[in-house]
Amino acid sequence: MEKFERRDFLKTTAAIAGGTVLSAMPLTGAFAAGSDVIKVALIGCGGRGTGATFDALSSGFNIKIVALADAFKDNLESTYKTLKDKWQDKIDVSENHKFVGFDAYKEAIKVADVVILATPPGFRPIHFEEAVRQGKHIFMEKPVAVDIPGIRKVLAAAEIAKKKKLNVVVGLQRRYQTNYREAIKRIHDGAIGDVVAGQVYWNSGGVWVRPRKPGQTEMEYQMRNWYYFNWLCGDHIVEQHVHNIDIANWVKGAYPVRIQGTGSRAHRTGKEYGEIYDNFALELTYADNSVVYSQCAHFEGVTNRVDEQFQATKGRVYLSGGGQAVLYDAKGNEIYRHDPKGNPNPYQQEHKELFEAISKGEYKFNNAEYGAYSTLTGIIGRIACYTGTVIKWDAALQSNIDIMPTNYAWDALPKLLPKEDGFYPVAIPGQNTNLYI
Amino acid sequence: MSSASLAQQKLENYVQEIKGTKLTFDMVAIPAGVFKQGSDVKPDEKPIHEVKIDPFWIGKYEVTWNLFEPFLYKDYELTQSIEGKIAPEVDAVTRPTKPYLDMTFGMGKEGHPALAMTHYNAIQFCKWLYIRTGVFYRLPTEAEWEYACRAGSDQAYSFGNDATQLDQYAWHKGNSEGKTHLVGQKKPNAWGLFDMHGNVSEWTFDQYIADYYQQFAGKVASNPVAVPTTLYPNSVRGGSFDSEAVDLRSAARLASDPFWKQLDPQIPKSNWWFPEAPFVGMRLVRPVNPPSHEEILAYYDKAPIKDY
């Protein structure tokens, strides 16, 4: 694994943020002047997949949705209906382009120019790999994997995507949000000096549970409740907190060299909550010895917080997804306050920029790499907390602990199964650490 | 419920307890009357017309997170219940989906107004309270809200026309530092209601119709209400921590906007939350003469209108 040099990383980031075309070349079947329809397939018909499809269709380019894929027929049909209600002839999905089941993605990818990958994150590496193999442009949701073999798969496919000049945008939408772009550009330009510390947070109230239904196989139950199983979700530190961790990496222009932390199930202890923790606290240490503290929790009734702040040699910065960005000098005077009025919706902006590049036949986006490394930061954080050990970045990348099932079928068994009392085994720091790294 | 039924007979201020918890909230009695609604300032506030209002009680304060969170989180409600139980009929109330983000937006929670809930969410909270207390709580109509806000004043604010006095009565753009504050920190109006101007804007039940008052020109409207039939816009009143003085006036009207849900990444969008409206909260009303149980349920049980 090649080491990350801060300077190189910044160069790459700057090139992308500045909108420099990595390489302009006529793509096969370029969508010149918007005259040709861009055919899009949605893989993963949940709320976010449907939302991402709306964002794509709202981007103003000549797009048609030509295929839908989901493991569940009911998800697919309800998304189809919602899409059709709103977008009418922009949704051109015939019955034989509705693909259901674990292998549905392969066929859906075939018939599209661009794919939206929005299933639970566990499937992302195999879907991304296949989309790259088939030479498609890609929008994929975060996080991009749930375990380290998955990360390596994404990184390998990302290399191939680069060679094939496939645009890949990852749904870490803060990268496309004006307040973050403006503030972080100023930080990288030296407005507050070198960043020496930071704190990033995602403390919220948690998410839904879908009660077990009679007749469901274990595979179906876990798939319906994907948030609570690591092979599907990666735990909430990966699934949600990746947003804030990614900001830390972006601001630092680097990835941590080691991570330590602590976490537990303090609040969400029932069997319906699978195996995941409800709180994590991490220390991300970077090569320059700066430390970012990260905290995420799913607690009800407590003070919530979702934002980021960093301290630097000549000042500090406060950032949040609500559009805030304030830079202060060392004396606490405001030196920049972002005005969010009229800023584009970042969820739409990421699609707008992707489809703009595609329609012009340009190659501009290789987000898979930072998407993978920020996802990896969350995964290492999870492992550090589950095991109670300090995990080094380079060592972690060698991990072969693969948590994905060996077979994908409704009657196949995931690796993690409930005990006799219906509760799932949960990681206890200091015990069974070999299961996690 | 004894305090509530007593109050019903005498139209006095009362404290509503939520049985089995330590939660209470204050309700202020508002007498029947006729007032001049609207103003000459903006087109949607014209014409000034007379409105006759039946008596009701209204929350002394905006609804706080303390009261709202047990509704939001069933498990949390359980831990806040003295006997560690929730009655099955309370359990059966539809609750909000857990917000994806931090809905306090870092502005504070204990004693701060609950906010960013949708109109539907606000009404379902009232239903939870009804099942919890047996008392019909609902959103104020626009007319009730303005009548309560004015508290007898026909000037721009409940305390007169002088906007320089706003700091004594309201958290607004000029003094809030961009966030909500504990309810009840500023001076109340003549009827003892706090934060009618500022802090958070407050939901009314009414559909926002810009020329709604035209039909009442030269007439006396009796308990008017524009029953909502579409998801947007509904009328929001009172201005917030983020509002300019002109928007804090008693007659000022704000229309809810789909933009308030722009950052919701899911489709269909949440029925419950406005991730981009941290300035919207709510206040409770209880009519002195409640409708029948069936009518009350009909008020609460309108299916949410799908949003995408």
Side-chain angles (χ1 to χ4, degrees):
Chain A
M1 198 53 233
E2 63 181 30
K3 282 235 177 82
F4 256 84
E5 292 301 333
R6 180 165 180 267
R7 198 172 300 156
D8 293 345
F9 178 86
L10 283 175
K11 231 184 281 169
T12 320
T13 317
I16 295 166
T20 314
V21 178
L22 293 180
S23 162
M25 59 161 284
L27 300 164
T28 343
F31 310 93
S35 57
D36 296 334
V37 175
I38 306 175
K39 292 183 282 181
V40 176
L42 167 64
I43 321 288
C45 299
R48 180 75 272 266
T50 314
T53 307
F54 269 58
D55 294 331
L57 287 163
S58 308
S59 67
F61 294 91
N62 193 3
I63 292 167
K64 259 198 183 149
I65 308 301
V66 297
L68 300 176
D70 198 276
F72 294 108
K73 190 168 178 21
D74 56 337
N75 281 356
L76 188 148
E77 288 300 339
S78 102
T79 287
Y80 175 75
K81 191 177 173 306
T82 303
L83 287 170
K84 198 73 188 165
D85 277 358
K86 169 79 180 180
W87 296 98
Q88 285 103 34
D89 60 350
K90 292 274 177 198
I91 311 302
D92 187 11
V93 181
S94 56
E95 283 305 308
N96 62 357
H97 277 190
K98 292 178 178 175
F99 302 101
V100 174
F102 287 100
D103 286 333
Y105 68 100
K106 290 182 189 162
E107 298 303 311
I109 291 169
K110 256 181 216 167
V111 299
D113 307 307
V114 182
V115 294
I116 296 173
L117 305 181
T119 61
F123 295 107
R124 199 86 69 246
I126 53 176
H127 292 178
F128 178 57
E129 197 173 47
E130 178 66 15
V132 171
R133 197 186 65 76
Q134 293 196 29
K136 312 297 182 171
H137 298 284
I138 295 157
F139 173 84
M140 63 172 158
E141 261 309 333
K142 42 47 66 174
V144 303
V146 295
D147 61 10
I148 292 167
I151 291 290
R152 287 201 300 265
K153 203 172 270 196
V154 170
L155 288 169
E159 279 305 308
I160 298 168
K162 251 193 247 179
K163 291 196 185 99
K164 291 188 173 181
K165 296 186 166 38
L166 303 173
N167 286 292
V168 180
V169 164
V170 170
L172 288 162
Q173 81 283 348
R174 283 168 172 75
R175 297 261 185 173
Y176 293 81
Q177 192 165 354
T178 317
N179 59 315
Y180 285 98
R181 285 177 159 183
E182 290 297 319
I184 293 173
K185 187 173 72 185
R186 285 168 171 77
I187 296 168
H188 288 169
D189 286 348
I192 55 172
D194 291 333
V195 173
V196 292
Q199 300 80 39
V200 301
Y201 301 87
W202 192 304
N203 295 339
S204 69
V207 301
W208 42 261
V209 169
R210 295 174 186 137
R212 195 183 284 272
K213 286 186 180 158
Q216 268 178 339
T217 63
E218 184 60 24
M219 181 65 88
E220 177 173 0
Y221 173 75
Q222 293 196 14
M223 293 270 286
R224 297 275 188 194
N225 283 279
W226 62 270
Y227 213 92
Y228 300 103
F229 298 96
N230 283 330
W231 73 272
L232 288 157
C233 163
D235 207 327
H236 69 112
I237 187 175
V238 176
E239 208 283 334
Q240 281 188 325
H241 194 37
V242 64
H243 283 296
N244 321 97
I245 288 172
D246 180 56
I247 294 302
N249 293 339
W250 185 13
V251 165
K252 283 298 299 174
Y255 300 103
V257 291
R258 63 176 186 278
I259 297 176
Q260 71 116 59
T262 178
S264 68
R265 281 159 75 98
H267 183 127
R268 192 165 53 189
T269 53
K271 60 184 79 161
E272 68 272 32
Y273 301 118
E275 65 176 322
I276 69 169
Y277 278 14
D278 56 23
N279 69 96
F280 292 92
L282 305 180
E283 220 178 72
L284 313 173
T285 303
Y286 292 80
D288 61 2
N289 281 319
S290 62
V291 177
V292 172
Y293 174 77
S294 116
Q295 196 180 75
C296 60
H298 279 178
F299 289 159
E300 296 173 356
V302 304
T303 301
N304 288 330
R305 178 164 192 187
V306 181
D307 56 16
E308 305 88 19
Q309 62 192 21
F310 299 91
Q311 297 79 35
T313 49
K314 291 195 280 179
R316 64 191 169 92
V317 60
Y318 176 81
L319 301 159
S320 93
Q324 286 171 282
V326 195
L327 274 76
Y328 303 89
D329 68 16
K331 289 184 176 157
N333 303 311
E334 252 180 57
I335 50 178
Y336 172 74
R337 178 177 284 270
H338 183 73
D339 178 6
K341 284 209 179 64
N343 288 175
N345 175 343
Y347 292 101
Q348 282 175 14
Q349 188 64 16
E350 54 194 8
H351 285 271
K352 185 169 171 278
E353 294 185 25
L354 172 65
F355 284 101
E356 187 171 28
I358 293 169
S359 69
K360 287 181 179 165
E362 294 175 349
Y363 172 51
K364 282 179 82 169
F365 299 103
N366 58 359
N367 296 177
E369 203 169 83
Y370 73 67
Y373 284 128
S374 282
T375 302
L376 175 63
T377 313
I379 294 171
I380 296 176
R382 181 188 76 217
I383 295 170
C385 297
Y386 279 10
T387 58
T389 53
V390 178
I391 310 277
K392 291 194 172 151
W393 181 269
D394 291 344
L397 267 167
Q398 313 304 318
S399 166
N400 286 318
I401 306 286
D402 176 347
I403 61 176
M404 300 302 287
T406 39
N407 277 314
Y408 297 101
W410 294 118
D411 56 359
L413 290 176
K415 286 179 182 161
L416 180 95
L417 298 171
K419 296 178 289 182
E420 264 178 27
D421 59 7
F423 284 85
Y424 291 84
V426 171
I428 299 173
Q431 295 178 19
N432 302 322
T433 53
N434 59 328
L435 293 176
Y436 302 103
I437 187 80
Chain B
M1 262 164 280
S2 56
S3 60
S5 39
L6 189 70
Q8 192 170 345
Q9 292 156 20
K10 295 204 288 190
L11 193 59
E12 287 178 348
N13 298 355
Y14 69 96
V15 177
Q16 176 71 58
E17 293 174 359
I18 299 187
K19 211 176 138 194
T21 75
K22 292 176 181 166
L23 296 168
T24 63
F25 57 92
D26 293 287
M27 296 297 287
V28 174
I30 305 295
V34 177
F35 79 111
K36 288 197 168 79
Q37 181 165 21
S39 84
D40 289 330
V41 176
K42 290 189 173 177
D44 67 346
E45 299 163 12
K46 293 176 190 176
I48 298 173
H49 59 287
E50 290 206 321
V51 175
K52 185 173 163 292
I53 295 284
D54 290 342
F56 60 93
W57 289 272
I58 191 165
K60 186 174 181 179
Y61 307 108
E62 292 161 339
V63 171
T64 61
W65 283 115
N66 306 50
L67 199 55
F68 199 83
E69 280 210 319
F71 161 64
L72 168 54
Y73 300 124
K74 187 175 81 182
D75 290 347
Y76 179 67
E77 180 182 13
L78 203 59
T79 64
Q80 296 303 298
S81 299
I82 288 162
E83 288 167 10
K85 281 191 300 210
I86 303 174
E89 62 271 22
V90 177
D91 198 14
V93 175
T94 307
R95 297 181 193 248
T97 50
K98 294 174 186 177
Y100 188 65
L101 285 165
D102 160 27
M103 283 296 158
T104 69
F105 300 89
M107 298 190 295
K109 201 169 71 171
E110 288 293 311
H112 286 249
L115 47 82
M117 75 289 280
T118 59
H119 192 257
Y120 175 75
N121 188 342
I123 291 173
Q124 296 314 301
F125 171 71
C126 295
K127 178 178 182 181
W128 174 80
L129 277 179
Y130 176 59
I131 304 293
R132 266 291 197 177
T133 62
V135 178
F136 178 45
Y137 289 103
R138 61 163 170 78
L139 294 179
T141 66
E142 248 199 289
E144 286 167 344
W145 192 95
E146 186 170 331
Y147 177 59
C149 177
R150 289 182 174 280
S153 157
D154 60 2
Q155 298 191 301
Y157 307 99
S158 59
F159 53 83
N161 281 325
D162 182 6
T164 63
Q165 288 184 41
L166 264 177
D167 282 357
Q168 298 174 47
Y169 294 89
W171 296 107
H172 58 97
K173 193 160 199 157
N175 65 1
S176 72
E177 296 179 324
K179 55 180 192 250
T180 62
H181 289 259
L182 292 175
V183 299
Q185 301 291 295
K186 296 288 185 181
K187 285 188 188 170
N189 71 9
W191 283 344
L193 306 175
F194 291 83
D195 301 304
M196 293 298 288
H197 304 298
N199 214 13
V200 282
S201 299
E202 298 169 17
W203 280 116
T204 71
F205 180 63
D206 294 42
Q207 193 95 71
Y208 170 87
I209 300 168
D211 62 357
Y212 187 63
Y213 299 164
Q214 299 293 337
Q215 62 188 303
F216 303 121
K219 299 180 194 159
V220 180
S222 179
N223 297 301
V225 54
V227 175
T229 54
T230 62
L231 187 57
Y232 299 106
N234 290 116
S235 190
V236 171
R237 290 302 207 103
S240 75
F241 65 87
D242 202 27
S243 299
E244 310 279 354
V246 64
D247 298 318
L248 267 68
R249 290 174 302 108
S250 304
R253 309 171 72 202
L254 177 66
S256 65
D257 191 309
F259 176 80
W260 297 359
K261 245 186 244 177
Q262 184 188 239
L263 279 185
D264 185 341
Q266 306 268 333
I267 297 285
K269 289 179 183 289
S270 167
N271 294 322
W272 300 96
W273 300 105
F274 277 124
E276 297 205 58
F279 46 80
V280 171
M282 66 181 292
R283 188 182 299 260
L284 297 163
V285 151
R286 172 188 175 189
V288 166
N289 300 308
S292 70
H293 176 66
E294 288 67 33
E295 286 165 321
I296 290 171
L297 289 184
Y299 174 85
Y300 295 136
D301 289 346
K302 289 191 187 110
I305 302 168
K306 196 151 78 169
D307 191 10
Y308 48 67

